[in-house]
Amino acid sequence: MKLYIGNLSYRMTNDELNKTFSAYGDVLSTHIVLDRETQRSKGFAFVEFSDKQAAESAMQSLNGKELAGRTIVVNEARPKPARQRRAG
């Protein structure tokens, strides 16, 4: 199960994110989304768990909590919408 993590500190690292969420279960991956041009964090990330119960526990425990000075939002990640092809 994949979680969306919003309102992250721009200084947060994948290792710090992994350490925080690993307290709730086996984390398969963490991915902080970066701006393509500047390579700086966009302030959100995705964390994937191997176990749905662990992901739900992390979501319930961490949503609305402070992490690195910011109140984070934790939700189940939604599938990426299909992109429209440009005519031309």
Side-chain angles (χ1 to χ4, degrees):
M1 180 175 187
K2 190 180 268 190
L3 300 178
Y4 162 84
I5 319 303
N7 200 35
L8 276 180
S9 166
Y10 296 109
R11 298 173 197 254
M12 179 65 62
T13 67
N14 279 305
D15 286 341
E16 292 169 326
L17 199 59
N18 192 318
K19 185 176 180 180
T20 299
F21 281 83
S22 290
Y24 297 91
D26 186 28
V27 172
L28 296 177
S29 66
T30 59
H31 175 70
I32 294 176
V33 178
L34 303 177
D35 182 274
R36 287 183 193 187
E37 293 179 19
T38 65
Q39 294 302 302
R40 294 182 67 194
S41 169
K42 286 188 160 191
F44 68 96
F46 296 95
V47 176
E48 188 171 7
F49 281 87
S50 61
D51 178 32
K52 185 175 181 176
Q53 280 186 312
E56 288 175 350
S57 177
M59 186 169 39
Q60 289 177 350
S61 298
L62 294 173
N63 185 40
K65 300 294 184 200
E66 189 174 304
L67 180 62
R70 305 280 302 258
T71 302
I72 62 170
V73 175
V74 183
N75 295 314
E76 185 172 350
R78 289 180 250 147
K80 190 174 183 178
R83 293 180 75 179
Q84 298 267 338
R85 289 187 162 215
R86 291 185 184 182

